[in-house]
């Protein structure tokens, strides 16, 4: 072998710069061991490269250094912990003291496995947290709609109770029904109008159903009169602004007939001053 | 007080293999600039170059046990770690995709006064020396050394026989060496 020729073939530069393939590298490493000149040539070139690189140094941003050091400190602590657990485990003592490749391999496996576990668990965590937040949203929606249903149900129940009460009034055996048609009042301003009065003879409770009445003007209200011996007594007022089917009027002890007049809005009058609309005898 | 301000190479290697953080600190202070310059010659994006430098030093710390003094100087070993990482970065899919979106011809970086400085990668280190080579040699070194293509890949890219690629790279490297002197 002509060593000088070998040195000047470019293999030194190829090897040092990491461009030589495996065969060339293995051969070069053997040549370095065999021939001090080859090794010297390699070192000379390495130094030249290193000097060029040092002369062309560019200072990196400072934060990189602190990142590097915080990372290696974390790793040092982990290794210390790992070392302690190796020492404390009885099987570790039987292993040969120096077993770097194997250790490295196991270390790599553990790293790979834990990385894989980390990735899988991260994905699962994201997946489930998304699912759980979706479920939470849906749960809140369900709660809201359940509340709405409850409200609607309460309204419906109270309406049903009202209707049941109204029905009870009409079907009650103590209840006297008195129809008050406009026909009985020759001068009625609304000849088509009609109300029905329900009077419980036992409890004296009085109710009114406005079957057909014109809606009074904003400053007017209807007043019901209980007639005893031709004398009118106040039996309560109504204005038809509510949608009640059955309007509760004043308790009335005795009556021969009932009549409705249109009065000025306000407190109940003691005597009718407005026009009579409807009237009916018991 | 037990913390040397300089190390001889064997001292440095020994303390590094003992996982001595002081000597790693010295290693960083001494060589990060030279290695950063190499990275910038390969990875023109400064943010990515920063990531490569960080990863490279963490790798150096992790792999220091595998460093074999018989095979070369510590700097050469570090240089190859850095170069491989830098090449992995520019050949990664993510990098290739991002390059399609923004074609940056040169390196821009923020200097200490927060001003944008223009850094021409052709002006530093080996790149500068490379400029003195013949074009047919320069392109091969660029592909092989700075872009990490194998001789076979270069043979395909440049449509030159494999044997020619090998001899041209060798002769280019010898010329480079002349320039370094």
């Amino acid at each position: 072998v002509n060593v000088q020729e070998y040195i000047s073939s470019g293999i030194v530069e190829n090897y040092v710069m990491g461009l030589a393939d495996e065969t060339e590298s293995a051969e070069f490493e053997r040549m370095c061991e065999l021939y001090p000149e080859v090794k010297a040539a390699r070192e000379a070139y390495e130094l030249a490269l290193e000097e060029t690189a040092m002369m062309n140094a560019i200072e990196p941003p400072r934060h990189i250094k602190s990142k590097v050091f915080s990372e290696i400190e974390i790793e040092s602590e982990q290794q210390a912990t790992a070392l302690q657990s190796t020492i404390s485990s009885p099987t570790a003592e039987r292993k040969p003291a120096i077993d770097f490749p194997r250790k490295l391999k196991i270390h790599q496996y553990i790293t790979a496995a834990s990385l894989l576990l980390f990735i899988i668990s991260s994905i699962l965590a994201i997946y489930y947290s998304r699912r759980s937040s979706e479920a939470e949203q849906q749960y809140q929606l369900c709660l809201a709609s359940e509340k709405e249903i409850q409200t609607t149900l309460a309204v419906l129940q109270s309406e049903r109770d009202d209707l049941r009460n109204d029905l009870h009034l009409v079907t009650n055996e103590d209840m006297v029904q008195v129809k008050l048609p406009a026909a009985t009042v020759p001068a009625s301003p609304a000849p088509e109008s009609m109300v029905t009065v329900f009077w419980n003879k036992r409890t004296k409770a009085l109710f009114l159903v406005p079957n057909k009445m014109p809606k009074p003007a904003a400053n007017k209200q209807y007043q019901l009169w209980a007639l005893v011996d031709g004398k009118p007594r106040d039996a309560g007022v109504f204005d038809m602004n509510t949608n009640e089917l059955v309007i509760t009027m004043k308790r009335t002890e005795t009556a021969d007939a009932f009549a409705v007049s249109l009065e000025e809005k306000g407190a109940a009058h003691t005597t009718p001053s407005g026009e009579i609309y409807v009237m009916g005898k018991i | 007080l037990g913390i040397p301000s300089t190390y001889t190479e064997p001292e440095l290697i020994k303390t590094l293999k003992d996982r001595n953080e002081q000597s790693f600190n010295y290693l960083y202070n001494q060589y990060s600039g030279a290695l950063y310059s190499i990275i910038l010659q390969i990875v023109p994006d400064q943010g990515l170059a920063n990531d490569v430098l960080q990863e490279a030093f963490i790798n150096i710390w992790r792999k220091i046990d595998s460093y074999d003094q018989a095979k070369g100087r510590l700097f050469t070993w570090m240089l190859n770690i850095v170069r491989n990482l830098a090449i992995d970065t520019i050949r990664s899919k993510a990098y290739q995709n991002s390059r399609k979106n923004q074609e940056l011809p040169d390196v821009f970086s923020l200097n200490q006064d927060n001003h944008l400085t223009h850094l021409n990668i052709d002006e530093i280190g080996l790149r500068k020396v490379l400029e003195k080579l013949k074009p047919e040699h320069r392109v091969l070194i660029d592909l092989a050394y700075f872009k990490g293509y194998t001789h076979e890949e270069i043979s395909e890219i440049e449509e030159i026989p494999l044997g020619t690629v090998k001899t041209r790279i060798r002769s280019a490297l010898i010329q480079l060496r002349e320039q370094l002197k």
Side-chain angles (χ1 to χ4, degrees):
Chain A
V1 184
N2 186 330
V3 175
Q4 278 314 312
E5 234 171 62
Y6 181 71
I7 290 170
S8 55
S9 72
I11 181 64
V12 178
E13 295 80 0
N14 240 330
Y15 177 82
V16 169
M17 293 186 80
L19 297 179
D21 62 32
E22 270 180 53
T23 328
E24 289 171 329
S25 297
E27 190 193 39
F28 184 77
E29 281 165 15
R30 211 178 57 243
M31 292 295 279
C32 281
E33 281 171 26
L34 290 174
Y35 303 99
E37 308 98 290
V38 179
K39 195 180 174 187
R42 186 199 75 198
E43 282 179 347
Y45 184 59
E46 287 188 274
L47 270 175
L49 258 189
E50 189 171 329
E51 277 164 19
T52 310
M54 296 299 261
M55 281 191 300
N56 288 285
I58 296 169
E59 197 187 338
R62 292 195 175 193
H63 67 270
I64 297 174
K65 185 176 180 182
S66 49
K67 278 190 191 166
V68 169
F69 276 81
S70 68
E71 180 65 29
I72 68 159
E73 265 156 37
I74 291 167
E75 287 189 14
S76 297
E77 278 168 28
Q78 284 171 344
Q79 272 173 350
T81 323
L83 195 65
Q84 267 185 344
S85 64
T86 318
I87 290 166
S88 58
S89 96
T91 51
E93 283 168 351
R94 265 181 265 132
K95 282 184 185 168
I98 300 163
D99 192 9
F100 284 123
R102 199 180 147 74
K103 244 188 200 165
L104 193 67
K105 235 178 182 171
I106 289 169
H107 176 72
Q108 284 171 334
Y109 277 130
I110 292 169
T111 310
S114 54
L115 192 65
L116 194 65
L117 270 178
F118 172 73
I119 293 165
I120 292 169
S121 58
S122 304
I123 292 167
L124 285 177
I126 292 165
Y127 175 71
Y128 280 115
S129 88
R130 278 211 187 134
R131 286 250 319 225
S132 103
S133 77
E134 273 169 30
E136 174 67 21
Q137 273 180 349
Q138 284 182 340
Y139 174 66
Q140 292 300 338
L141 281 177
C142 284
L143 276 187
S145 85
E146 200 244 348
K147 209 172 175 182
E148 205 178 303
I149 290 168
Q150 286 292 346
T151 314
T152 314
L153 186 66
V155 170
L156 289 175
Q157 271 173 342
S158 102
E159 281 180 8
R160 184 209 56 190
D161 289 347
D162 290 349
L163 285 174
R164 183 179 281 167
N165 287 341
D166 294 348
L167 189 66
H168 184 66
L169 289 178
V170 182
T171 55
N172 190 331
E173 58 180 3
D174 293 325
M175 197 65 80
V176 176
Q177 181 184 342
V178 187
K179 279 193 186 307
L180 282 61
T184 53
V185 183
S188 174
E192 300 290 301
S193 58
M194 154 116 154
V195 304
T196 306
V197 167
F198 291 91
W199 183 40
N200 189 318
K201 278 186 151 176
R202 192 169 56 82
T203 64
K204 310 297 179 188
L206 185 67
F207 306 92
L208 180 144
V209 176
N211 304 97
K212 191 172 182 189
M213 289 296 280
K215 218 168 160 28
N219 58 340
K220 304 273 185 176
Q221 67 190 12
Y222 290 114
Q223 186 159 1
L224 179 67
W225 305 96
L227 305 173
V228 182
D229 300 327
K231 281 186 175 173
R233 286 187 193 161
D234 168 43
V237 297
F238 65 98
D239 59 10
M240 297 180 59
N241 278 334
T242 60
N243 286 324
E244 281 172 296
L245 286 178
V246 177
I247 305 161
T248 304
M249 308 307 287
K250 272 190 184 166
R251 285 168 59 86
T252 301
E253 290 297 322
T254 61
D256 307 325
F258 293 99
V260 172
S261 67
L262 187 68
E263 305 289 339
E264 293 297 317
K265 196 154 194 157
H269 299 254
T270 44
T271 51
S273 53
E275 289 175 295
I276 302 291
Y277 273 59
V278 291
M279 194 162 73
K281 283 183 183 168
I282 293 176
Chain B
L1 292 169
I3 301 162
S5 55
T6 58
Y7 291 79
T8 62
E9 180 137 336
E11 277 169 0
L12 184 59
I13 292 160
K14 193 195 169 295
T15 48
L16 282 175
K17 291 204 177 197
D18 288 344
R19 308 272 159 175
N20 180 322
E21 283 187 25
Q22 287 297 336
S23 74
F24 189 64
N25 186 49
Y26 170 82
L27 185 83
Y28 187 94
N29 291 343
Q30 192 72 3
Y31 295 110
S32 59
L35 294 174
Y36 190 52
S37 157
I38 304 278
I39 294 167
L40 285 171
Q41 289 170 55
I42 299 171
V43 182
D45 179 295
Q46 208 204 3
L48 283 175
N50 291 350
D51 292 346
V52 172
L53 184 71
Q54 182 187 333
E55 200 54 39
F57 267 94
I58 292 167
N59 276 355
I60 288 165
W61 172 260
R62 283 178 187 157
K63 292 179 178 171
I64 190 67
D65 278 330
S66 73
Y67 165 63
D68 182 357
Q69 245 176 298
K71 290 181 182 174
R73 288 177 61 79
L74 181 60
F75 183 80
T76 310
W77 179 75
M78 294 194 295
L79 177 58
N80 281 322
I81 286 182
V82 160
R83 179 177 156 256
N84 288 335
L85 267 179
I87 286 167
D88 285 349
T89 301
I90 57 162
R91 296 189 74 173
S92 72
K93 253 211 151 79
Y95 180 79
Q96 295 293 341
N97 288 342
S98 77
R99 287 289 285 184
K100 278 175 200 158
N101 298 334
Q102 43 163 35
E103 198 67 32
L104 288 177
D106 293 303
V107 171
F108 289 90
S109 66
L110 288 176
N111 66 13
Q112 309 259 310
D113 308 320
N114 244 11
H115 288 115
L116 200 62
T117 53
H118 180 233
L119 190 65
N120 188 346
I121 54 168
D122 292 335
E123 293 297 316
I124 51 174
L126 284 174
R127 286 265 187 202
K128 188 173 160 191
V129 183
L130 210 58
E131 288 302 302
K132 295 172 184 163
L133 299 185
K134 284 192 231 163
E136 66 263 35
H137 285 152
R138 192 193 306 149
V139 70
L140 294 193
I141 294 296
D142 183 55
L143 287 171
Y145 190 75
F146 292 105
K147 298 209 165 67
Y149 289 103
T150 64
H151 293 174
E152 287 79 5
E153 286 169 327
I154 295 170
S155 160
E156 276 179 34
I157 294 166
E158 292 294 302
E159 294 175 335
I160 309 169
L162 184 58
T164 314
V165 172
K166 290 195 176 195
T167 48
R168 277 199 192 163
I169 285 179
R170 283 203 178 199
S171 106
L173 286 173
I174 293 166
Q175 290 174 55
L176 261 186
R177 174 178 202 158
E178 298 299 317
Q179 299 293 344
L180 286 184
K181 275 175 186 170

